[in-house]
Amino acid sequence: MGRSHRVQRPLMSSETRSRRNACWYTCPENNAKVAVLGASGGIGQPLSLLLKNSPLVSRLSLYDIAHTPGVAADLSHIETRATVKGFLGPEQLPECLKGCDVVVIPAGVPRKPGMTRDDLFNTNASIVATLTSACAKHCPEAMICVISNPVNSTIPITSEVFKKHGVYNPNRIFGVTTLDIVRANTFVAELKGLDPARVSVPVIGGHAGKTIIPLISQCTPKVDFPQDQLEKLTGRIQEAGTEVVKAKAGAGSATLSMAYAGARFVFSLVDAMNGKEGVIECSFVRSEETESPYFSTPLLLGKNGIEKNLGIGKITPFEEKMVAEAMSELKASIKKGEDFAKNFK
């Protein structure tokens, strides 16, 4: 959806760079203050690098329980305008969050071979509850973008934590499912010989296994696949995370592609907050589009987060069947997150 940014930019001459910097320094809207919680990890470091590389970001606050001073020092030498500061340990978290517009949370443990995203629940649920509780206290108005898996449970946890603190706004809490869209775009482009940058596949539902529902019928440009190829492609998109976990053979999960996808979502969100119109991204959010209380669909983003939920739209019987089959798993994951948050001290 809404591909408003290429994360990369070519190297440029010092003259071009100084002209560009003069513009960015004088444009008040390009002043996003972004915090990354879990900035020293496998996703956190490359994500922080991509955010540092963006002229949209003026301040980058990096938090983790280890190594953040070093990561911040390293990134601070890059010749882009964002100031970078590292924060270490729970006592420095409040200062890290103060004044932030966007908080991105990749903190937690990654999957290993044989693990499902749900296997991460016990460790990551506590981490997300603790971090989002600090967000609710110290930057209640910020946009909260949760990457930590299982997203199908960590978003309900985040919502319940914000409700407990009396600052809940469903339009500002996002489960980052963008990697599913990025993978769908890439895999469709490979099969059809297209430029992946020109392909846009909405992916709805959740962010685990069969809850990941690519709407190939709504792909731009229009593409057609025989049913057997469509089923194989859909299965690959749903299990692409496991493909990477297996390929890394115990050394982690998708970190670089997740960092790219996380950055893409943040840039779209900041663009929309800056007043850019027509910015659309899919994200796992509080929803009334289906019987599931949380569901990912294309969202029109605006200055205050979700401007409009664009819903599912017209889908094929094959896609309808996937939506129906995802419901029980989605609802169970959501309830698991809500129950955890209600008992979390």
Side-chain angles (χ1 to χ4, degrees), residues 118 121 150-157 159-160 205-206 211 284-287 290-296 326-342:
D118 199 51
F121 184 89
V151 166
N152 292 357
S153 300
T154 55
I155 284 301
I157 288 170
S159 297
E160 293 304 318
T211 71
F284 187 68
V285 296
R286 182 80 201 176
S287 171
T290 68
E291 64 193 73
S292 173
Y294 294 83
F295 201 82
S296 181
M327 280 301 148
S328 61
E329 184 183 325
L330 260 181
K331 288 200 256 187
S333 298
I334 290 162
K335 186 174 185 308
K336 190 173 180 179
E338 288 176 338
D339 290 348
F340 176 88
K342 281 167 186 157

Side-chain angles (χ1 to χ4, degrees), residues 22-344:
C23 164
W24 289 114
Y25 274 112
T26 53
C27 299
E29 67 272 16
N30 296 304
N31 276 320
K33 297 175 181 68
V34 181
V36 179
L37 309 186
S40 301
I43 297 167
Q45 289 202 40
L47 173 60
S48 299
L49 173 62
L50 293 169
L51 295 172
K52 170 66 173 139
N53 199 37
S54 171
L56 293 170
V57 179
S58 65
R59 190 184 87 189
L60 195 53
S61 301
L62 308 181
Y63 172 82
D64 215 317
I65 53 170
H67 311 306
T68 29
V71 174
D74 195 354
L75 287 175
S76 72
H77 293 180
I78 293 171
E79 55 181 1
T80 55
R81 65 184 287 255
T83 58
V84 186
K85 190 167 179 195
F87 299 86
L88 191 63
E91 59 289 338
Q92 292 189 8
L93 183 54
E95 195 193 339
C96 170
L97 295 171
K98 215 172 285 175
C100 283
D101 304 306
V102 179
V103 179
V104 199
I105 308 180
V109 295
R111 279 201 291 162
K112 290 193 165 57
M115 289 175 81
T116 64
R117 287 182 180 88
D118 199 51
D119 291 334
L120 305 173
F121 184 89
N122 291 337
T123 306
N124 289 359
S126 299
I127 292 169
V128 169
T130 302
L131 294 174
T132 55
S133 184
C135 294
K137 284 181 202 157
H138 303 290
C139 56
E141 298 286 304
M143 304 292 174
I144 310 296
C145 307
V146 180
I147 291 171
S148 313
N149 274 315
V151 166
N152 292 357
S153 300
T154 55
I155 284 301
I157 288 170
T158 302
S159 297
E160 293 304 318
V161 165
F162 270 68
K163 282 179 197 172
K164 268 189 186 175
H165 287 87
V167 290
Y168 177 55
N169 181 344
N171 295 326
R172 290 172 179 262
I173 295 173
F174 301 92
V176 181
T177 62
T178 316
L179 184 50
D180 299 325
I181 292 91
V182 167
R183 285 167 167 158
N185 294 345
T186 302
F187 300 165
V188 166
E190 282 173 0
L191 289 171
K192 292 294 183 185
L194 300 166
D195 173 1
R198 304 255 175 263
V199 176
S200 182
V201 180
V203 181
I204 64 168
H207 185 59
K210 69 178 184 186
T211 71
I212 297 168
I213 304 161
L215 301 182
I216 308 293
S217 70
Q218 292 183 17
C219 177
T220 312
K222 188 161 174 42
V223 292
D224 285 305
F225 294 99
Q227 187 61 27
D228 60 335
Q229 195 179 17
L230 179 62
E231 287 175 18
K232 198 174 166 191
L233 168 63
T234 298
R236 188 181 176 206
I237 294 163
Q238 291 174 330
E239 294 304 322
T242 305
E243 191 179 303
V244 176
V245 169
K246 283 181 181 167
K248 289 194 173 182
S253 56
T255 53
L256 303 173
S257 52
M258 184 61 248
Y260 167 87
R264 171 181 148 171
F265 185 80
V266 170
F267 298 151
S268 290
L269 189 54
V270 172
D271 267 342
M273 290 163 73
N274 287 343
K276 184 172 179 176
E277 292 183 3
V279 179
I280 297 167
E281 290 282 0
C282 293
S283 180
F284 187 68
V285 296
R286 182 80 201 176
S287 171
E288 289 170 9
E289 297 302 314
T290 68
E291 64 193 73
S292 173
Y294 294 83
F295 201 82
S296 181
T297 42
L299 307 169
L300 177 65
L301 301 175
K303 292 194 173 193
N304 299 304
I306 301 170
E307 196 159 290
K308 189 181 181 194
N309 192 320
L310 301 176
I312 295 173
K314 189 171 178 290
I315 59 174
T316 65
F318 173 66
E319 291 161 348
E320 278 172 10
K321 185 167 176 274
M322 285 195 287
V323 171
E325 287 174 354
M327 280 301 148
S328 61
E329 184 183 325
L330 260 181
K331 288 200 256 187
S333 298
I334 290 162
K335 186 174 185 308
K336 190 173 180 179
E338 288 176 338
D339 290 348
F340 176 88
K342 281 167 186 157
N343 297 315
F344 184 77

